[in-house]
Amino acid sequence: MAVINILSPHVADMIAAGEVVERPASVIKELVENAFDAGAKNITVEIRDGGATFIRVIDDGCGMAPEDAGIAFLRHATSKLHDERGLEAIKTMGFRGEALAAIAAVSHIELTTRRPEDTEGTYMALTAGEIREMEPVGCPAGTGITVRDLFFNTPARLKFLKSDRSEASACIQAALRCALGRPEVSVRFLRDGKEEFFSPGDGLPESCVYALLGRDLASSLLPCRSEDEGLRLSGFVSSPAAARGNRGAQYFFVNGRFIKSALLQSALEQAYKNTMLTGRFPACVIYLDIQPGAVDVNVHPAKTEVKFSAERQIFNLLYQAVQYTLQGEDRVITSPAAIEPSSVPASPEPAVPKPGFYQTKTAFEFRRESERHASPPSYGHTAAGSVAVNSRDVLYQTGEQLRLELSPAPAEPAVPAEETAVENSVQNVDASSVPDHKILGEAMKTYLLVEVGDQLVLIDKHAAHERMNFDRMKAQPRQITAQELLAPVTLRVSPEDLGLLQARASLLEELGFSVEPFGENAVVVRAVPADMLPSDAAAAVEEICEKLRGGRAPDPQAARDEILHTVACKAAIKAGWDTSPEERERIVREVLSGRVKYCPHGRPVSAVLTRRDLDKMFKRIV
Ligand code: ADP
Ligand code: MG
């Protein structure tokens, strides 16, 4: 007897439903994408409870003719693809023609639809994919689809649904991702009659981001743009100080489609290297526009993963664009004399001519400014693309400095010529790039107080010095000068740590440490980097063990950076220490030059209080 059956279309649909429709959130994604494809300008998404009992998506798109509505729910029914040649050039969100069939197979559906040019619309009701009713009806132009009792006929799937709360939040997230990808479409989301979000649909990514992600996140975002052959990148990335505990706020869109991509994630995060604590993650909303032929969206049933043909090019584009944005990130401090208000361009042109890169101030930033400033900000040079007008946004840099940093190949610092290079990073600061300033003193032996024009700058001396040390040591390609300890320090370590230290012995030596095994449970530290206090030797080696142990340093470069973090921190002047006037001046100049913005862990090194902030504080102005 034959053992091979051809599955009935109904069973095939139920199986396909398993791939496309995992939970209520997947229904929402598919229906909203259909509405986008239908050219809708306004979409309303409504759920009750967690969405399993009730989902409704209404759009004002092109609608369907009665005969099309009749077949829309059949498997492989699509108006978006005619033959295999079309697949290369696909621009719509859907094209596989299986979403409606898959959803219909496991639910009760009601549809009303009307094309704007028709006088009458169509009403349809389906149960488990079978049409129960179909008749003409009067209805608004566009399409409304109501999905009830999802998985009513597949109890096993129903059982896998989580609580209403978590299904509802997955629904919100799914709709939000769709909405964020299409700033030109207004999306409203209602849960149990209550509005969860509303995007204005004015076509401006900044207002979309603001509406959907909220003020707090939006105000930490910096514009980011770039272009390369066949590629266009735009969007926003968060300032390192606004790092988050997870990757939940990383949104990548390719041709308007939300995607998950290890490639993009890693390009993004590598650009933040050494400005962020391990375990902290940047936020972003990145839009990539790629010629349809250069990206395959058909590698995953829900199309949330894609395959790029030019991975390296895309990686570099994003990596460089983010780095560029972070380098320019700041609020500009200049002495008032240097500012000519008339020189502030009305619509800022790119400040730094660099092929393929441009940054402009967005409406979003204007809004942030206007929230704080009744009149335009008084400092100039804002064209560099970053106007962090918020006393929590704490960086500054002169326009000249930005140019200085970018004109030669950026990224890798120059190789210092000789040992004297130790102090070079300081002396090299172009005097003209440091604004006139007055060091007023130091508060709590921790914060340097500096007056710059009508701004009061507070500098965390330890954080700033730590960053200076780190950059200097990182730029030294060779052996870091070691100091022999007069009294070698013995330290108990676990056999595991001993192994880790031995595995990295040559790296440690290169960085100025001499650490030798001492029996099975101890090491003896004979030398440490010259900048460190001998009394910190044991603590430093313990910290290094911890970092190596945590698997935070998988490759040699990462291990080197992690160890340098420790050394930079240990070699830095500490809060509570007395600091000489020369040292203060050195730190202040570095920070004001814009070179030093974040400590190697991503904490800001400085904060600014403007005269306006102070005047407000003392109610001189309201
Ligand atoms: P796909 O989107 O892959 O084409 P679907 O099963 O999602 O497949 O939809 C089938 C067809 O039904 C679509 O190709 C489209 O012609 C039509 N359709 C679905 N939703 C809408 C809508 N909201 N407005 C107009 N037409 C729609
Ligand atoms: Mg579809």
Side-chain angles (χ1 to χ4, degrees), residues 256-274:
R257 185 191 301 282
F258 173 86
I259 57 144
K260 294 187 181 126
S261 160
L263 178 81
L264 298 179
Q265 179 189 307
S266 119
L268 173 81
E269 290 177 7
Q270 284 193 32
Y272 282 84
K273 209 150 163 267
N274 294 320

Side-chain angles (χ1 to χ4, degrees), residues 379-400:
Y379 34 83
H381 301 290
T382 51
S386 41
V387 192
V389 190
N390 184 322
S391 41
R392 276 176 302 147
D393 297 324
V394 283
L395 303 173
Y396 28 79
Q397 187 169 42
T398 62
E400 287 77 1

